[in-house]
Amino acid sequence: MGVGDSEHIREIEATLQGRPSLRDPDVIESWRRCIDQHKLDPAARQKAHVVTESRLREHRQEAERLVHIARGGLDRLFRQVAGQRYVVLLTDRHGVAVDYFGERHFESELRQAGLYLGAHWEEGLSGTSAAGACIQTGEAVTIHQDDHFDLMHTPLSCTAAPIFDTTGSLAAVLDISLLRSPRPKSSQRLAMQLVTASARRVELANLMARSASEWVLRFSLSPELLDVDPDAAVTLDGSGRIIGFTHGAARVLTGVAGVDWRTPEVLVGQSITRFFNLDINQLPGYMRGRPAEERILQFVDGSPVFAHAIAPQPSVAANRSPSLSPRRVRGNPLNDLHGGDDAMLEVQRLASRLVESTVPVCIQGESGSGRRHLARAMHDSRTPAQRFRVLSCIGLVPAMIDSGQWLKSIAEDTGTGNPGIDGGSLYIEELADLQPVAQDALMRLLVELDDNDRNVGTVRTIPRLLCSSRISPIELVKEGRFRADLLHRLVGATLVLPALRHRQDFDWLLQRVLQQRCQTDPPAYRFTRAAQEDLAARRWSGNLRELANVVDVAIALCPGGVIEVEHLPPALGDSAAATEPNLRNPGDLPQLLESCQWNISRVARMLGVNRSTVHRRMQRAGLQRPD
């Protein structure tokens, strides 16, 4: 035992005897639990506790849903600290590490230190540690070097934050650790900020995944972050009573109610009117129809907060499992369009509302962004047993329409002489490629079908109209490239798909494509961290179609199950950069606002600025959001 070890043991004993200490109170309390409750010996040097492979499988199976929903957040956190020798761990509520991100070149050191899969950081086994103390107290904590109780762990510096489920129970702990770090504990302040923010986002993703059929009220002290990274959120039933919440909301609302935050279960069933000057009927006024700066909500004590209400999606059944659950409800294809991307979440919400209507829908987005996939998902969500017909506008000439030649491949005759008599969906692909003379012929056909439909009377006979365009149809009309009357028949509502390079769920998409290509779960192949980072940095001018091609090539070139950077085909260049708006040219702002349907948060993300900057640019250009 070294001199430093002896000093550490003497300090623990002296501190617990009541002598003054510079240690943080949470460290002292953990030391006290280690001695009094867990009966641990400060002079012992315990190796890292690692569960057996069979036990690890059991813990990972129990935490499968948790790992799935948290993995994107862990990956983003690891990218933020990449190259600084940090390790990111996710432990379950028992303290067993069930997921891990670390640099492979010092993996053996991490295993030995217990910063690896299967390590058991429960306080009663491993003494004072960030994960163990976090489980005990429910608080974020940094345990730095000789804050640790066990002598084996004193070189480590660990920061952990709790992850709670939507009823306030501890579900997991997110930990970021270093084998060695600078001496001052203050050096880990950034680590604390990162890990608490990541834990908050995992909780929000879980709440959103489980709340598709309920009202969600998100609130924040900052209008710039309200729509993209709010401080807190609650789920409300149809009568305005709380049925779920994030930990941030529990902290705030228990404070308003005057109860201990450690008893958040008292919030369930409480009316939202107990906390805010608000009732359920006023929630639509806090949706994204107006700028975040104007969506000010007051607590009952009069203090303000910025609010964002998200309406229920009637076609989606809520999953009320008490555990964290990333699985979308089966049976509705619209529930599987994304892995947590904000823009895609908005598309899913709007599409779910439009599914049951007969309003014609235009899906706008770049080539390869998944427009036909979304159209098919809308069709399958409503009429999966009926025909989904595709009419490509590329090369379509009037003679084909007038002769009915194109109908032979996309429609069926039910004996009445009216094509499309059985309803279903007609997807008209790429309006920008429809020549003017072909537009005239298509207009005649739609008028004829509409007349036949009215003559039948009680049964809708024409297909549900869906279409797509890589260019705003309004711009096509303004440029004289498209008939305005035809536009009004084809475009009632517009859904805008983000380009792949703007999506926040790239890792989820990559894994999804890999699984589809391998047709196994889990996939027979996996990407190394370096390969995944290489792909995430690309421009993806071909969007999802290009991504699928890259995955196919990587699988073909990879001799084994691990895809390295060397197995990736070269990027196709920055051709997308030429189509990106010139963000320094004020003349591009109207085009960008139009393509984003005047969603200021989405525009701000694309520009890399905050919402107030977008509003200032709009004011300077004399632009005003249309009614």
Side-chain angles (χ1 to χ4, degrees):
M1 183 181 298
V3 175
D5 293 346
S6 300
E7 291 178 353
H8 182 59
I9 295 168
R10 285 197 297 271
E11 183 189 0
I12 291 177
E13 293 173 343
T15 300
L16 298 186
Q17 289 170 4
R19 294 183 188 175
S21 174
L22 297 179
R23 300 282 174 180
D24 293 337
D26 47 18
V27 174
I28 296 173
E29 289 304 311
S30 178
W31 284 359
R32 193 176 305 281
R33 289 192 299 271
C34 290
I35 296 289
D36 297 343
Q37 296 180 26
H38 310 314
K39 311 300 181 186
L40 299 180
D41 181 2
R45 297 179 66 91
Q46 298 285 344
K47 289 185 178 180
H49 291 267
V50 180
V51 300
T52 63
E53 288 189 10
S54 61
R55 286 288 306 281
L56 176 58
R57 281 196 298 271
E58 292 173 5
H59 280 272
R60 295 199 78 185
Q61 287 171 359
E62 181 184 342
E64 178 186 5
R65 296 179 177 182
L66 163 65
V67 171
H68 182 90
I69 203 167
R71 180 154 264 265
L74 267 67
D75 182 60
R76 283 192 294 272
L77 175 59
F78 183 69
R79 288 188 188 189
Q80 288 177 291
V81 297
Q84 301 179 49
R85 299 178 69 87
Y86 274 102
V87 177
V88 175
L89 290 177
L90 182 74
T91 82
D92 62 11
R93 58 193 175 90
H94 307 291
V96 175
V98 291
D99 205 1
Y100 150 88
F101 284 80
E103 298 177 28
R104 297 182 64 181
H105 59 273
F106 63 105
E107 194 170 279
S108 59
E109 293 180 75
L110 298 176
R111 286 177 180 270
Q112 187 175 359
L115 301 179
Y116 204 74
L117 285 175
H120 199 169
W121 287 100
E122 185 182 25
E123 195 176 69
L125 287 175
S126 301
T128 301
S129 69
C134 191
I135 291 173
Q136 287 282 335
T137 65
E139 300 268 18
V141 62
T142 294
I143 301 298
H144 183 71
Q145 296 182 347
D146 52 8
D147 284 344
H148 288 85
F149 183 86
D150 194 285
L151 293 170
M152 284 292 292
H153 302 143
T154 52
L156 307 179
S157 182
C158 309
T159 300
I163 297 174
F164 294 89
D165 66 20
T166 58
T167 59
S169 298
L170 182 72
V173 168
L174 183 56
D175 179 282
I176 179 171
S177 297
L178 280 169
L179 285 170
R180 298 165 202 84
S181 71
R183 184 69 183 100
K185 190 171 184 175
S186 59
S187 65
Q188 299 309 301
R189 286 175 183 166
L190 178 59
M192 174 63 77
Q193 294 173 6
L194 292 174
V195 78
T196 52
S198 296
R200 183 183 71 246
R201 292 180 189 125
V202 170
E203 289 184 2
L204 180 64
N206 174 60
L207 182 132
M208 296 303 299
R210 293 187 53 221
S211 306
S213 63
E214 311 290 354
W215 276 102
V216 175
L217 181 64
R218 297 156 52 146
F219 48 96
S220 176
L221 295 176
S222 166
E224 286 81 11
L225 298 178
L226 175 61
D227 292 337
V228 294
D229 190 16
D231 298 327
V234 296
T235 305
L236 306 171
D237 65 14
S239 62
R241 297 189 177 276
I242 295 173
I243 57 177
F245 43 81
T246 63
H247 183 59
R251 286 273 197 173
V252 173
L253 300 185
T254 52
V256 173
V259 297
D260 192 329
W261 70 264
R262 294 174 181 82
T263 58
E265 61 275 6
V266 301
L267 298 175
V268 176
Q270 295 290 329
S271 172
I272 195 66
T273 58
R274 180 178 178 185
F275 309 98
F276 295 101
N277 293 326
L278 172 80
D279 64 47
I280 193 76
N281 297 320
Q282 295 172 311
L283 284 175
Y286 293 92
M287 295 172 69
R288 281 184 173 170
R290 55 187 176 132
E293 293 87 346
E294 298 177 10
R295 286 181 260 143
I296 301 175
L297 179 62
Q298 287 188 329
F299 287 99
V300 289
D301 64 1
S303 56
V305 70
F306 297 95
H308 173 203
I310 300 175
Q313 299 172 22
S315 61
V316 181
N319 181 352
R320 295 289 183 80
S321 169
S323 61
L324 285 166
S325 173
R327 298 181 185 272
R328 293 166 175 82
V329 181
R330 295 179 180 177
N332 188 337
L334 288 172
N335 294 329
D336 205 19
L337 293 173
H338 64 93
D341 178 76
D342 287 336
M344 285 301 300
L345 186 65
E346 181 73 3
V347 169
Q348 176 191 337
R349 184 185 70 81
L350 294 173
S352 297
R353 290 194 153 202
L354 292 167
V355 157
E356 298 302 325
S357 74
T358 58
V359 173
V361 175
C362 179
I363 302 171
Q364 191 177 323
E366 294 181 4
S367 178
S369 57
R371 295 171 297 175
R372 185 187 290 199
H373 182 71
L374 174 58
R376 186 62 195 247
M378 293 184 69
H379 168 83
D380 289 343
S381 296
R382 184 187 185 198
T383 54
Q386 294 182 323
R387 293 286 299 275
F388 178 77
R389 307 167 177 84
V390 178
L391 169 62
S392 174
C393 295
I394 300 176
L396 186 63
V397 296
M400 294 175 63
I401 297 178
D402 288 338
S403 66
Q405 189 177 350
W406 63 278
L407 285 171
K408 293 177 182 178
S409 61
I410 65 170
E412 58 187 46
D413 190 339
T414 58
T416 64
N418 292 325
I421 191 74
D422 67 331
S425 300
L426 173 59
Y427 173 56
I428 304 174
E429 191 167 52
E430 200 49 83
L431 298 184
D433 291 327
L434 190 61
Q435 297 300 314
V437 287
Q439 294 174 31
D440 298 340
L442 180 58
M443 183 68 182
R444 289 194 300 271
L445 177 66
L446 293 178
V447 170
E448 180 184 345
L449 288 176
D450 198 24
D451 290 342
N452 289 338
D453 183 50
R454 281 195 289 269
N455 291 336
V456 171
T458 58
V459 179
R460 177 174 174 81
T461 60
I462 67 172
R464 164 71 180 276
L465 292 177
L466 303 168
C467 67
S468 69
S469 180
R470 64 183 181 274
I471 302 172
S472 166
I474 298 175
E475 288 300 314
L476 292 175
V477 172
K478 288 180 180 178
E479 295 170 7
R481 296 167 55 186
F482 207 87
R483 288 182 55 157
D485 53 352
L486 179 57
L487 175 75
H488 295 310
R489 284 186 176 268
L490 296 177
V491 181
T494 302
L495 300 174
V496 181
L497 287 175
L500 177 56
R501 60 189 172 277
H502 295 145
R503 289 184 59 162
Q504 303 164 340
D505 55 351
F506 178 83
D507 294 333
W508 179 86
L509 285 167
L510 179 62
Q511 187 66 20
R512 179 69 181 242
V513 172
L514 183 64
Q515 186 170 326
Q516 289 172 344
R517 276 357 199 205
C518 293
Q519 297 186 338
T520 58
D521 188 12
Y525 291 80
R526 68 178 180 86
F527 289 94
T528 63
R529 174 65 47 196
Q532 197 162 330
E533 290 175 354
D534 180 285
L535 294 177
R538 297 190 180 191
R539 298 288 297 169
W540 298 111
S541 57
N543 292 292
L544 298 175
R545 190 177 298 120
E546 182 185 354
L547 177 62
N549 291 338
V550 167
V551 171
D552 286 340
V553 172
I555 291 175
L557 296 179
C558 179
V562 180
I563 299 173
E564 305 277 0
V565 174
E566 63 197 56
H567 303 134
L568 302 177
L572 295 180
D574 286 349
S575 56
T579 62
E580 287 279 352
N582 180 357
L583 304 183
R584 295 185 180 181
N585 182 355
D588 287 322
L589 186 58
Q591 173 198 355
L592 186 57
L593 288 164
E594 187 78 40
S595 67
C596 292
Q597 290 186 293
W598 292 80
N599 184 315
I600 306 302
S601 296
R602 194 178 305 159
V603 173
R605 285 196 299 274
M606 292 178 68
L607 294 176
V609 298
N610 58 38
R611 288 169 50 91
S612 59
T613 301
V614 177
H615 283 295
R616 282 197 300 271
R617 292 188 185 183
M618 288 170 59
Q619 231 174 9
R620 196 178 305 132
L623 299 172
Q624 189 172 1
R625 182 196 298 267
D627 293 335

